[in-house]
Amino acid sequence: MNRKYPLPLAPFIFCAAWLAGQVFAQEEAVVRREAVSTAMSVAYHASSDALKKAEELKADIDKFVGAPSEVNLVMAKLGWVSTRLPFLQLQNFLWIDVKKAGVQRFRGKLDGRPVAMDVVEQIIADATTYPVINAIVLRQAALKMNGKPITGFAVLEALMWLKGKEDHLPFLPSAENGKRRRDYLAACAQLLVEDLGAVAVEFLPEREDNTRSVLQAMDPEDGLAAIMRGQAQFVAREIALT
């Protein structure tokens, strides 16, 4: 008579648990990869919207520079606010914590703070060192300033909201360095458009040489962690500046 012995259950339980773990890990990886992809899509659309608004802001500033008046400056200020809104959605993505992510180089260019207004005013007043003021001159000057913000959103804000109700007065032809101040404002707006355009490229889909491609090529857990670390650094910076 053959006696039947029950098979030990432990190996089956172990195999079932292992398989379940593998399935869960694969599903979790898919979720993380989708999270990275969604974050990159948000960054792309936010950067595209910010670029479009910056181009409109530049047009408003060019109009003010051509005819400096209180009304035209108000319109330029409204353009600044409209551009700032999509940029706020984009800003934390500039802090993505990946060495090969080119988007990191735009942190100080777009929203460096505190503003080095002493340097800005020095450039405006110094016609000997800076015979002309344009986007190329400011780009070169910024490289020599060891990270001091002399362009970007915060500088535009400081220039346009300089004197309260009479903000347009320093830009008038009759004002001391009025033309140079207008030139600085126009050049700063031009650089904002250029830099936001370059940021939008960093998040374009179907490229192999930008921030988006770097993140999506990473292990999804590492890619998501890099985005989260960047956001944490951004929030910590904002708290420190308040």
Side-chain angles (χ1 to χ4, degrees):
M1 179 176 179
N2 293 328
R3 186 174 180 181
K4 295 182 179 179
Y5 293 93
L7 293 173
L9 294 178
F12 293 98
I13 294 174
F14 174 81
C15 289
W18 182 83
L19 288 172
Q22 291 297 104
V23 171
F24 177 77
Q26 291 177 4
E27 291 178 347
E28 191 175 49
V30 169
V31 170
R32 288 174 175 170
R33 194 176 298 281
E34 286 298 320
V36 172
S37 179
T38 299
M40 292 299 94
S41 295
V42 171
Y44 171 64
H45 289 296
S47 60
S48 299
D49 290 345
L51 174 59
K52 180 180 178 181
K53 287 296 184 180
E55 291 170 343
E56 295 173 1
L57 168 61
K58 182 182 179 302
D60 291 333
I61 287 178
D62 287 345
K63 183 176 180 180
F64 169 70
V65 167
S69 67
E70 184 177 0
V71 172
N72 285 343
L73 184 56
V74 168
M75 296 305 296
K77 288 180 177 180
L78 290 175
W80 183 94
V81 173
S82 295
T83 308
R84 186 72 176 174
L85 293 176
F87 177 72
L88 292 177
Q89 293 179 301
L90 168 68
Q91 199 171 9
N92 69 90
F93 291 106
L94 303 181
W95 291 78
I96 289 175
D97 188 16
V98 177
K99 290 182 179 180
K100 294 182 180 180
V103 74
Q104 295 174 346
R105 69 185 187 274
F106 295 101
R107 294 174 186 172
K109 291 181 180 180
L110 286 170
D111 197 41
R113 288 174 285 163
V115 176
M117 281 307 292
D118 56 333
V119 179
V120 172
E121 293 295 343
Q122 179 184 348
I123 293 173
I124 291 174
D126 189 356
T128 301
T129 306
Y130 305 97
V132 297
I133 298 177
N134 55 36
I136 295 175
V137 169
L138 291 191
R139 185 76 81 190
Q140 293 173 341
L143 294 174
K144 302 176 182 178
M145 296 299 169
N146 296 320
K148 291 183 178 180
I150 61 170
T151 62
F153 273 103
V155 174
L156 283 171
E157 179 185 13
L159 286 170
M160 292 194 293
W161 276 271
L162 187 65
K163 296 179 68 66
K165 293 182 179 180
E166 299 179 336
D167 288 335
H168 69 292
L169 296 182
F171 295 95
L172 294 177
S174 58
E176 183 179 8
N177 295 318
K179 181 182 184 305
R180 290 177 61 82
R181 190 174 296 276
R182 296 197 302 276
D183 289 344
Y184 199 110
L185 186 68
C188 202
Q190 175 63 38
L191 291 178
L192 187 72
V193 170
E194 292 178 7
D195 289 339
L196 282 171
V199 169
V201 170
E202 288 294 327
F203 296 110
L204 275 171
E206 300 178 357
R207 284 185 65 114
E208 298 180 355
D209 58 348
N210 61 1
T211 298
R212 184 172 187 159
S213 66
V214 169
L215 284 167
Q216 293 186 329
M218 295 172 63
D219 180 276
E221 182 174 357
D222 294 337
L224 187 58
I227 294 172
M228 298 303 293
R229 283 197 303 270
Q231 292 181 342
Q233 292 175 23
F234 167 69
V235 171
R237 171 182 174 270
E238 291 299 298
I239 293 173
L241 289 172
T242 55

